Amino acid sequence: DQASKEVNIENHLQPSLPVITMKKSECLSVLSKAFFCLYQRNSYNWQAFPSMNFDRLYMHSRGFDGCEKAKLQMIISYFVQLYQRHFEGNFVDEEIEFSLSESKNTWLEWQQDQSELSHFFMEDMYKSLDDAKDDYRIDFANTYLGGASLSYGSVQEEIMFSICPEMNVGRLFSPRMKEHQAICIKGTEQFTTPQGYGHSLEFGGLYKDHSMVIKNKRQSFVVAIDALDFRGQPTSIQYTQAGILRELNKFYAAMSIQQTPSTVATGNWGCGVFGGNAELKLLIQWVSASRANKNVRYFPFDNKPVYKRFLEIQKKIQDGQIQLRVCDMIRFFANINARLVFRQFEGFLDEMSH
């Protein structure tokens, strides 16, 4: 019945149409159509848009016990829970918002910014970013929204889109992100709990989302940004002015979206298979968040060197009462090279304190 309902979406996310708002019932219809593979979109040869149908979830790439099975269990649980709400008469048709943001600041504009660096809190190791429900969470995204959430993918973004299936609705009208763009998703609900990660991903059971609902919109905020991908190109690019500017603007595009929490929850963005330098990426994220007047809550997960070294750097900044601004950090970035970034930064702090 839901799959037969028409959902009118006149256009896709673009600068001239930066916000698309959906009702929860409309998202249910969109995902019901995807479940029955009713969209005329190739699931294997992506062009301007990502795949939309669930057909690749039904074709298990690693046998029936692959991650596709776990993701299907999560999505089916979503359908069952919403059916129960309809049946019991307690379905609430909340609003879910998808918005596009851009940032095209020049290096000179970054050099001239006098904003002081914001508060930075380093979380304990192995804590999950997904537990930061009240914060503005970063989705370590693919250029296509959701990445391989509807096929073989089973890392941060794909898991997030499986436990919160309504996020996948954005795939319908979100073109491949450009280097200066970010996509924010407000108001989605978490229905299930994941267990494991990667190839070991399993369905962990039901989840009760206690996020507040204000003016018919759930207080859940996630923003998708894709980092530079160094597979097939030299990692040295990330230390160039062009590479740093690209990441500064990408993260700032995410931070510029209005009516989002004042604290951003992030971590080792682009530092897994993409090959990014975690020390450099941490500093870039801090600078971009500071320009937008947002605090940073950093989840290092299993990166012990970053966790340990940055706590030492924070102590050095505090003990030396060093006041850092965005423009100071841009001056530091201008002279960076591919050696240990934190070591260079400590030297820069020594110069600042004299």
Side-chain angles (χ1 to χ4, degrees):
D1 180 55
Q2 287 293 331
S4 66
K5 294 182 179 178
E6 289 297 324
V7 178
N8 294 318
I9 301 172
E10 296 181 0
N11 217 321
H12 60 265
L13 278 180
Q14 53 190 300
S16 60
L17 183 65
V19 178
I20 292 177
T21 301
M22 305 282 291
K23 290 287 191 178
K24 204 174 189 72
S25 57
E26 293 176 322
C27 291
L28 177 58
S29 295
V30 168
L31 293 175
S32 296
K33 288 177 184 290
F35 181 86
F36 289 108
C37 304
L38 299 179
Y39 289 102
Q40 300 299 312
R41 191 178 290 182
N42 193 312
S43 295
Y44 293 86
N45 184 22
W46 301 0
Q47 299 295 327
F49 294 85
S51 62
M52 194 63 217
N53 293 319
F54 290 5
D55 52 325
R56 293 183 68 179
L57 286 176
Y58 306 145
M59 301 174 65
H60 306 286
S61 61
R62 283 176 285 274
F64 189 69
D65 290 327
C67 67
E68 292 92 339
K69 175 185 175 182
K71 292 196 289 184
L72 269 176
Q73 288 176 293
M74 295 173 189
I75 293 171
I76 290 172
S77 178
Y78 152 78
F79 285 126
V80 170
Q81 290 183 60
L82 287 194
Y83 171 78
Q84 289 174 335
R85 292 181 196 178
H86 274 285
F87 182 77
E88 295 167 1
N90 58 10
F91 177 82
V92 179
D93 209 8
E94 299 168 12
E95 289 186 349
I96 297 170
E97 181 183 296
F98 300 83
S99 57
L100 179 72
S101 177
E102 298 187 335
S103 172
K104 297 181 180 179
N105 290 286
T106 65
W107 188 262
L108 179 60
E109 288 172 314
W110 282 98
Q111 282 180 316
Q112 294 174 339
D113 194 285
Q114 301 290 317
S115 304
E116 291 188 1
L117 292 198
S118 58
H119 178 72
F120 189 107
F121 181 76
M122 177 67 77
E123 281 286 356
D124 293 335
M125 289 187 62
Y126 300 107
K127 287 190 69 174
S128 173
L129 187 156
D130 286 331
D131 293 333
K133 297 284 191 263
D134 295 330
D135 296 331
Y136 191 27
R137 290 178 289 159
I138 299 295
D139 163 18
F140 304 152
N142 190 288
T143 54
Y144 291 102
L145 185 67
S149 64
L150 300 183
S151 55
Y152 58 84
S154 53
V155 290
Q156 193 247 14
E157 179 174 41
E158 289 89 357
I159 294 174
M160 186 182 289
F161 276 61
S162 297
I163 62 178
C164 306
E166 293 159 332
M167 291 184 181
N168 287 289
V169 173
R171 298 169 69 94
L172 184 61
F173 45 75
S174 300
R176 186 176 189 176
M177 278 187 284
K178 297 178 181 178
E179 63 178 11
H180 56 278
Q181 294 178 331
I183 297 175
C184 179
I185 307 173
K186 301 178 183 177
T188 57
E189 181 178 353
Q190 182 176 338
F191 290 85
T192 56
T193 299
Q195 186 173 321
Y197 193 85
H199 297 330
S200 66
L201 178 66
E202 294 181 356
F203 173 62
L206 304 184
Y207 180 85
K208 178 64 175 176
D209 193 332
H210 295 287
S211 302
M212 292 181 62
V213 178
I214 300 176
K215 295 182 178 179
N216 209 36
K217 188 171 292 182
R218 190 170 293 271
Q219 300 302 290
S220 167
F221 305 87
V222 171
V223 63
I225 46 172
D226 58 295
L228 280 170
D229 187 351
F230 299 108
R231 293 173 294 185
Q233 62 177 332
T235 57
S236 58
I237 293 172
Q238 66 189 306
Y239 305 102
T240 65
Q241 185 178 116
I244 292 171
L245 181 61
R246 191 271 188 195
E247 302 298 69
L248 283 168
N249 277 332
K250 172 64 74 167
F251 204 85
Y252 187 67
M255 298 298 98
S256 301
I257 296 173
Q258 300 300 307
Q259 296 180 322
T260 53
S262 60
T263 297
V264 55
T266 188
N268 306 316
W269 173 52
C271 301
V273 294
F274 280 19
N277 182 310
E279 296 181 358
L280 176 59
K281 280 292 202 300
L282 180 152
L283 296 176
I284 287 174
Q285 292 180 87
W286 190 16
V287 171
S288 289
S290 298
R291 187 174 185 187
N293 196 30
K294 288 193 183 294
N295 298 320
V296 178
R297 188 179 174 191
Y298 196 92
F299 291 78
F301 196 62
D302 61 352
N303 195 324
K304 188 173 182 178
V306 164
Y307 171 76
K308 185 177 179 180
R309 289 297 308 283
F310 192 74
L311 289 177
E312 295 171 354
I313 286 172
Q314 279 190 303
K315 188 175 187 304
K316 188 183 189 81
I317 292 172
Q318 292 164 359
D319 291 349
Q321 297 183 326
I322 303 170
Q323 297 295 321
L324 289 169
R325 300 166 298 171
V326 168
C327 55
D328 297 323
M329 296 301 295
I330 301 304
R331 181 159 54 88
F332 166 69
F333 289 146
N335 298 297
I336 205 170
N337 58 48
R339 293 184 293 110
L340 295 174
V341 174
F342 280 176
R343 181 177 296 175
Q344 296 173 71
F345 189 47
E346 286 181 306
F348 178 75
L349 293 174
D350 288 338
E351 294 175 10
M352 290 283 294
S353 62
H354 292 140

